Amino acid sequence: MVPKTGHSKNLQRWMDYFHGTHTPEELSALLHDDVVFRSPIVHTPQEGKAITMMYLGAAGQTLGSDDFRYTRVFDCGDKAVLEFETRMDGVDVNGIDMIEWDGDGLITDFKVMVRPLKAIQAVHAAMKAMLEKMKGAQV
């Protein structure tokens, strides 16, 4: 597991959230209002804080098992690439989170990439189910 300290201020805030309680309020405080989320599943960029929170919340609930861990971190201050590994329904998932921050330390761009194909299929199925569940709960 990647240690929680020694990162730039921006990345440290993400790691504190990631290793913490994961509340919607904490996530909201990290995101710029005009943040763009780039999913490995959805073709078009998802723009805005509300939709990004929905996708990151769903990802946390589907990918964020005890198996999830960041294995390598490339920290460039206002940009970072975090490689992760997890296991979903017997499928090994390998991917990266690419995060960019503005001058105020708010996330402006969050891209997730996943491999191999079986992993993409597992993530797609789990995310679809979780997003449908979340949308149903909002009604």
Side-chain angles (χ1 to χ4, degrees):
M1 174 174 287
V2 173
K4 294 178 9 177
T5 59
H7 302 300
S8 67
K9 184 177 178 181
N10 290 332
L11 183 55
Q12 188 61 52
R13 287 182 67 219
W14 172 256
M15 290 297 199
D16 289 346
Y17 164 76
F18 177 78
H19 291 287
T21 57
H22 291 62
T23 69
E25 295 79 17
E26 291 170 327
L27 180 57
S28 179
L30 295 175
L31 301 176
H32 190 279
D33 287 341
D34 298 322
V35 62
V36 176
F37 181 78
R38 301 169 198 279
S39 166
I41 308 303
V42 179
H43 176 69
T44 58
Q46 303 300 298
E47 299 179 2
K49 185 185 279 193
I51 191 109
T52 299
M53 287 185 63
M54 186 174 69
Y55 274 96
L56 288 175
Q61 292 182 45
T62 57
L63 292 168
S65 71
D66 290 339
D67 292 329
F68 187 99
R69 68 187 185 283
Y70 284 123
T71 56
R72 290 193 288 175
V73 173
F74 303 91
D75 184 357
C76 301
D78 64 346
K79 296 177 181 68
V81 176
L82 298 87
E83 183 177 5
F84 63 83
E85 294 177 356
T86 192
R87 191 160 179 80
M88 294 179 63
D89 299 325
V91 176
D92 290 326
V93 177
N94 176 238
I96 59 170
D97 291 336
M98 297 171 62
I99 307 171
E100 293 186 34
W101 292 268
D102 68 7
D104 295 324
L106 297 176
I107 295 172
T108 58
D109 196 273
F110 200 113
K111 181 188 291 187
V112 181
M113 300 173 79
V114 174
R115 62 168 298 278
L117 180 58
K118 280 187 177 185
I120 294 169
Q121 293 166 336
V123 169
H124 179 259
M127 285 290 290
K128 181 179 179 187
M130 181 56 65
L131 289 168
E132 288 173 358
K133 181 180 175 182
M134 291 170 79
K135 285 180 183 176
Q138 292 176 357
V139 176

